[in-house]
Amino acid sequence: MEVQILFLYLSLFILSLNFFFQNVKPRLSRLLQPSFETRVKAAILSRKEVAEFLESPIVEEEEKEEEEVYQEGIGTISISTFDFDPYMTSKTESVNKALDEAIPLGEPLKIHEAMRYAILAAGKRVRPILCLASCELVGGQENAAMPAACAVEMIHTMSLIKDDLPCMDNDDLRRGRPTTHKVYGEGVAILSGGALLSLAFEHMTTADISPERMVWAVRELARSIGTRGLVAGQAMDISSEGLDLNEVGLEHLEFIHVHKTAVLLETAAVLGAIIGGGSNEEIENVRKFARCIGLLFQVVDDILDETKSSEELGKTAGKDQIAGKLTYPKMLGLEKSKEFVKRLTRDARQHLQGFSSEKVAPLVALTNFIANRNK
C-alpha cells in the first residue's frame, strides 16, 4: 500500500512538473520580460555615459585599438571582403517589388495612388533591409521576413506623410519630389497615411510563422508607433520647438530621437529576429544593436540637415534650424556630434559579437552605410 501511495505522489509530482513547463513557465517568461517602457528607459539610461564621453575628446589611438579588437572578434576577413553595394541593390529591388505587389491600384483610386506615390518613391529602404538582414542573421529566410519588412516601410512612409503636413513640420519636399499633401491635398494625404498603417498590420500577418511569434511581432510593431514610440517622439519634438538650450539636457533630446526615429529601426531589426526564429538572447542582442544604429541614424540626419543642400538631400535642408528644433549639432556642436557618430558606430558593432562573421557582415556594412551616408 505504501509503495502504491508513493507511486501515486510521484506520478502527481511528474504531472505537476509537466503542467508547469507546458503552461505556467511560458507565461511567466513573458511576464518577466522587460516591458517596453523599461527597455526604452534602459536605452536612455544606457547612454548616460555619453555625457562623460562628450566632456573629453576621443583619443584616436584608442579608437584604432578598439576597432582592431572588434574586427578580430567577429571575423575581419568576411567583413572586409563583403561587397555591400550589390547587397543593397539586390535587397532594395526585392523590397520595392514586394511593396509594388502589396499595394495595387484599386478603389478609391486617389487613395491608392497617393499610397503608391509616397511609398514607391526612391527611399533608402534601410528599415526593411535591416529587418531582412536580422532575420538572416539568426538563420531565417528572406521570404519569411518580407511581409514584416514591407509593414515597417509602410509605417515609416505613413510617418513621413504626416510629418510633412502643414500642421506638423510643413515640408514641401520628400525623397526628391513634392510631398504627398502637395500633390494630392491634405485630406487624401491623411487618409492614405491611415490606410498604410492599417495595411501594414494586415500584410505582416501573411508571414508564414507560428501564431506565438506572430502575436509577439504584432505587439512589438504596435508598441513602437503609439504613445510609447513614434507618437511620443513626435509629440515631444513639437513641444520642444524653440526651447532654450539651458532648459533641456541631452536626455531630453535623446528621448525625442529614441522614440521618433530609433524605435522603428529597432523594431524592424527585432521583427526580423523574431520571424527568423532567434532565441531570446539573440533577439535582445539584435535589439541593442539596432537601438544604437537608430540613434546613429538620427545624429547623422541632424548633421546632414545642417551641412547639405536641399538638392543633395532630396528634402528641405535647414528646416530644423528654421523651426527651432532640438538637434545634436545645436546642443553639442558639429564636431562633437561627429564624434558621437563614431561612438555609436562602435557601440552598435560591439553588440554583434558572438554571431557568425559571415551572417553579421551585412549588418556591419549597413552600420557603416548609415554612419557615412550623405543624404
Side-chain angles (χ1 to χ4, degrees):
M1 182 67 69
E2 291 181 358
V3 174
Q4 290 178 333
I5 293 174
L6 181 62
F7 179 76
L8 178 61
Y9 278 122
L10 183 60
S11 298
L12 288 171
F13 177 70
I14 292 172
L15 287 171
S16 298
L17 282 178
N18 181 66
F19 176 80
F20 175 81
F21 283 105
Q22 291 294 325
N23 298 280
V24 179
K25 186 181 177 182
R27 295 182 182 181
L28 281 176
S29 298
R30 288 193 292 271
L31 287 172
L32 293 175
Q33 281 182 348
S35 67
F36 184 80
E37 295 92 334
T38 302
R39 293 198 302 268
V40 170
K41 184 178 181 182
I44 296 169
L45 293 176
S46 69
R47 302 253 46 90
K48 279 192 172 180
E49 79 276 7
V50 172
E52 297 177 4
F53 157 75
L54 293 171
E55 290 297 321
S56 59
I58 298 176
V59 179
E60 294 295 332
E61 290 76 14
E62 289 181 2
E63 281 188 22
K64 183 178 180 182
E65 182 179 348
E66 253 187 23
E67 180 70 5
E68 288 172 354
V69 172
Y70 162 78
Q71 287 187 342
E72 183 181 354
I74 63 172
T76 306
I77 296 176
S78 295
I79 294 169
S80 62
T81 58
F82 180 73
D83 200 345
F84 184 61
D85 288 342
Y87 175 87
M88 280 291 283
T89 300
S90 173
K91 293 296 186 189
T92 300
E93 288 175 354
S94 296
V95 170
N96 286 340
K97 182 175 183 294
L99 288 170
D100 183 36
E101 293 173 352
I103 313 175
L105 282 173
E107 293 296 339
L109 191 58
K110 280 293 182 185
I111 300 296
H112 285 89
E113 285 179 350
M115 291 166 69
R116 289 176 58 83
Y117 175 85
I119 204 164
L120 296 179
K124 294 179 282 293
R125 308 302 188 207
V126 170
R127 291 158 190 81
I129 291 173
L130 180 58
C131 181
L132 300 178
S134 297
C135 178
E136 293 170 337
L137 176 70
V138 299
Q141 300 296 317
E142 177 185 299
N143 62 334
M146 187 60 79
C150 289
V152 170
E153 188 65 11
M154 289 173 189
I155 288 176
H156 173 55
T157 302
M158 174 275 295
S159 73
L160 298 182
I161 292 173
K162 294 193 174 182
D163 279 356
D164 292 337
L165 290 170
C167 61
M168 300 287 278
D169 289 349
N170 192 24
D171 215 333
D172 297 339
L173 192 66
R174 175 69 69 178
R175 290 174 169 173
R177 57 183 186 174
T179 48
T180 306
H181 70 273
K182 283 292 180 181
V183 177
Y184 293 95
E186 291 180 38
V188 171
I190 292 170
L191 291 172
S192 66
L196 284 170
L197 175 61
S198 175
L199 180 59
F201 285 95
E202 178 187 348
H203 190 67
M204 190 171 76
T205 58
T206 64
D208 185 17
I209 58 174
S210 70
E212 292 78 12
R213 294 229 164 209
M214 179 56 71
V215 170
W216 188 359
V218 168
R219 186 184 299 117
E220 287 278 347
L221 186 58
R223 285 175 173 171
S224 73
I225 60 179
T227 54
R228 292 169 287 180
L230 288 175
V231 170
Q234 184 67 65
M236 184 72 79
D237 188 35
I238 292 172
S239 65
S240 300
E241 289 181 7
L243 285 182
D244 191 296
L245 291 180
N246 296 322
E247 299 177 33
V248 295
L250 183 60
E251 292 84 359
H252 185 99
L253 176 61
E254 192 169 287
F255 179 92
I256 294 172
H257 291 323
V258 162
H259 290 74
K260 184 180 176 182
T261 302
V263 70
L264 194 53
L265 283 150
E266 177 184 326
T267 300
V270 170
L271 291 181
I274 290 172
I275 291 169
S279 66
N280 287 345
E281 182 181 1
E282 288 175 328
I283 291 168
E284 286 310 305
N285 285 334
V286 167
R287 186 190 299 281
K288 292 172 185 176
F289 157 75
R291 187 173 294 154
C292 287
I293 67 168
L295 192 53
L296 170 66
F297 191 97
Q298 185 59 55
V299 179
V300 172
D301 217 45
D302 286 354
I303 292 171
L304 292 175
D305 185 70
E306 188 167 301
T307 60
K308 297 291 184 178
S309 67
S310 298
E311 290 73 21
E312 291 172 306
L313 294 178
K315 58 182 180 180
T316 307
K319 63 175 183 177
D320 291 341
Q321 288 180 313
I322 296 170
K325 289 184 178 290
L326 294 177
T327 66
Y328 280 92
K330 183 177 180 179
M331 181 166 285
L332 309 178
L334 192 57
E335 292 308 311
K336 283 292 185 182
S337 296
K338 290 178 180 178
E339 289 181 4
F340 195 21
V341 166
K342 295 177 184 177
R343 173 64 179 266
L344 288 167
T345 302
R346 290 202 311 277
D347 285 356
R349 291 167 172 172
Q350 288 296 328
H351 291 304
L352 295 175
Q353 296 279 1
F355 288 105
S356 159
S357 60
E358 180 181 353
K359 290 181 179 179
V360 86
L363 289 173
V364 175
L366 186 59
T367 303
N368 294 336
F369 169 78
I370 291 172
N372 298 305
R373 65 192 177 94
N374 54 21
K375 64 178 181 179

